[in-house]
Amino acid sequence: MDDYPLLNLFWTMLWFFVWVMWFFLLFKVITDVFRDHTLGGWGKAGWLVLVLVLPLIGVLVYLIVRGHSMHERDRKQAEEQQAAFRSYVQKTAGTGGGSADELHKLSALKDKGDLTQAEFDRAKAKILA
């Protein structure tokens, strides 16, 4: 370890970090190309070829030309995922307060005279079952 000074170790770690970040950015651009629904097939193919053949220039040009819309697609996807999650939670948990709320509504209908005692008992048994 004496022939590899601490400064060289620092530079090696820095270049490794830059290399990892480069691949992260490259994959982010490639996934954004395929996620864009406004871009046609030839446009996607053109951007993909540019990014794969001339990676540094291709990624920089893509970020300059389409960077803002890239942010909009990220935001839209996050909103869609949040809405799907909320819908799933509401569907799973049950909306409207569950069986207690339904029993309260049945009781109100029975008190108003819209339901007979037998109809109330059958509906109550169905809700509690």
Side-chain angles (χ1 to χ4, degrees), residues 17-122:
F17 175 73
V18 168
W19 184 71
V20 169
M21 290 305 297
W22 166 251
F23 276 109
F24 175 77
L25 183 62
L26 182 67
F27 292 140
K28 179 77 172 163
V29 166
I30 290 172
T31 56
D32 188 66
V33 166
F34 287 108
R35 186 176 30 168
D36 187 8
H37 299 294
T38 62
L39 197 59
W42 287 107
K44 289 180 183 184
W47 278 114
L48 188 63
V49 166
L50 181 64
V51 166
L52 293 178
V53 172
L54 300 169
L56 183 62
I57 294 172
V59 167
L60 290 177
V61 168
Y62 187 85
L63 290 176
I64 291 168
V65 173
R66 301 181 52 85
H68 183 68
S69 61
M70 189 174 176
H71 166 71
E72 294 296 322
R73 283 185 292 281
D74 281 342
R75 185 186 49 79
K76 183 179 175 187
Q77 182 184 19
E79 288 173 355
E80 288 172 356
Q81 287 177 345
Q82 182 68 23
F85 175 72
R86 285 184 181 167
S87 172
Y88 171 75
V89 168
Q90 287 175 349
K91 186 179 86 171
T92 304
T95 58
S99 59
D101 190 39
E102 292 179 31
L103 285 174
H104 180 68
K105 289 177 185 177
L106 279 176
S107 176
L109 287 173
K110 188 184 111 188
D111 292 342
K112 287 191 334 190
D114 293 339
L115 289 177
T116 64
Q117 183 63 38
E119 291 172 333
F120 175 76
D121 291 337
R122 276 183 293 192

Side-chain angles (χ1 to χ4, degrees), residues 4 6-17:
Y4 201 69
L6 186 61
L7 186 60
N8 285 350
L9 180 65
F10 170 75
W11 282 112
T12 302
M13 290 172 50
L14 181 69
W15 281 112
F16 180 73
F17 175 73

